[in-house]
Amino acid sequence: MKKLQLLLLVAFTVGFTAQAQYKLPQLNYSYADLEPYIDSTTMYIHYNNHHAAYTNNLNAALSKYPELFKKDLVEIFRHFEEIPADIQTAVRNNGGGYYYHVLFWELLTPSSKSKMTPVVEKALIANFGSIDSFKTEFEKAAATRFGSGWAWLIKDAGGKLKIVSTPNQDNPLMSFAEAKGKPVLAIDVWEHAYYLKYQSKRVDYTKAFWHVVNWQKVEELLK
Ligand code: MN
């Protein structure tokens, strides 16, 4: 009887945990669809190796405290200090990495579909004066992020659009972020995102990025 109870408990725990694990999202395009701006090999490795590693490492960290699988990742970021100290670094790096790659894939689209919408255009002009000054400021944030990290367009609590950058896998939703806000657009400036094609020319990669931005998604995030 005891054996059966133990077996049921194990089955329940494994079943519950398995159901709640984070998974790689489905991409809305194939690895080659962002060519020639983002090459197929980079996309393949970025998704299958880097994003997969963040996903596995996040699951491993949260498995120590399975109740955390029930919490929304954004809520975890917003109340970061509340999660157990022994998994904070792992969740900061891999939770950040998991969440923002999911978003990054959605913010990309084949160049044939990349067209700025009137709503986004109006919002960018209202906040930055012109599309050119928005792009220049965003490219500057991407270029000047020392080492690995991300550049962001965020919407702050007052509804104002701002350009910021964060190191490593930190993001503007995390409780300790210098500039907080809701991500609207993001570019990954880790070398793994561009080095195969652009080598040290991060600026060229950032300029190529404009050809494959999913402006429909940006409009959705602006709301
Ligand atoms: Mn990346």
Side-chain angles (χ1 to χ4, degrees):
M1 189 63 185
K2 263 190 175 169
K3 240 183 183 173
L4 180 67
Q5 277 175 341
L6 185 68
L7 200 67
L8 283 174
L9 182 70
V10 169
F12 177 78
T13 310
V14 170
F16 173 78
T17 310
Q19 198 184 12
Q21 300 261 317
Y22 286 92
K23 287 185 185 133
L24 274 178
Q26 197 80 34
L27 293 180
N28 295 321
Y29 40 79
S30 72
Y31 303 125
D33 283 350
L34 307 180
E35 294 265 12
Y37 307 104
I38 300 178
D39 63 289
S40 176
T41 311
T42 296
M43 279 303 295
Y44 181 89
I45 296 172
H46 203 169
Y47 177 81
N48 288 292
N49 298 17
H50 295 280
H51 197 181
Y54 298 129
T55 309
N56 295 337
N57 294 338
L58 173 64
N59 284 330
L62 294 182
S63 294
K64 285 188 174 178
Y65 304 94
E67 70 277 9
L68 287 176
F69 280 112
K70 284 187 261 177
K71 257 195 170 176
D72 192 87
L73 210 42
V74 170
E75 284 309 302
I76 292 181
F77 295 154
R78 285 191 173 134
H79 306 281
F80 205 79
E81 296 74 14
E82 292 173 16
I83 66 167
D86 64 324
I87 61 163
Q88 279 189 6
T89 304
V91 173
R92 179 176 177 173
N93 292 334
N94 298 292
Y98 175 79
Y99 187 82
Y100 282 96
H101 284 86
V102 171
L103 179 69
F104 187 52
W105 307 138
E106 289 181 356
L107 283 166
L108 297 173
T109 198
S111 58
S112 58
K113 294 182 189 164
S114 174
K115 198 175 183 316
M116 191 177 287
T117 68
V119 171
V120 173
E121 192 174 17
K122 200 177 155 195
L124 292 177
I125 292 172
N127 282 271
F128 300 97
S130 71
I131 300 301
D132 276 351
S133 19
F134 156 69
K135 286 187 174 176
T136 305
E137 198 183 321
F138 190 84
E139 285 170 15
K140 193 179 159 202
T144 54
R145 163 52 48 198
F146 184 77
S148 299
W150 294 72
W152 309 88
L153 173 67
I154 59 168
K155 186 174 165 183
D156 74 9
K160 195 169 164 41
L161 298 183
K162 285 181 182 161
I163 291 167
V164 297
S165 84
T166 54
N168 303 315
Q169 301 293 7
D170 287 356
N171 66 62
L173 292 169
M174 288 177 171
S175 50
F176 48 79
E178 271 175 47
K180 287 202 195 68
K182 181 193 178 194
V184 175
L185 178 65
I187 183 170
D188 185 343
V189 296
W190 281 60
E191 286 184 349
H192 70 227
Y194 63 88
Y195 216 84
L196 282 181
K197 184 176 170 74
Y198 296 94
Q199 289 84 48
S200 58
K201 295 173 186 144
R202 188 192 281 182
V203 172
D204 291 0
Y205 156 69
T206 308
K207 288 190 184 296
F209 168 76
W210 297 123
H211 293 273
V212 289
V213 171
N214 182 352
W215 294 107
Q216 293 285 351
K217 182 69 188 177
V218 174
E219 178 172 331
E220 200 183 291
L221 293 170
L222 267 179
K223 286 170 191 162

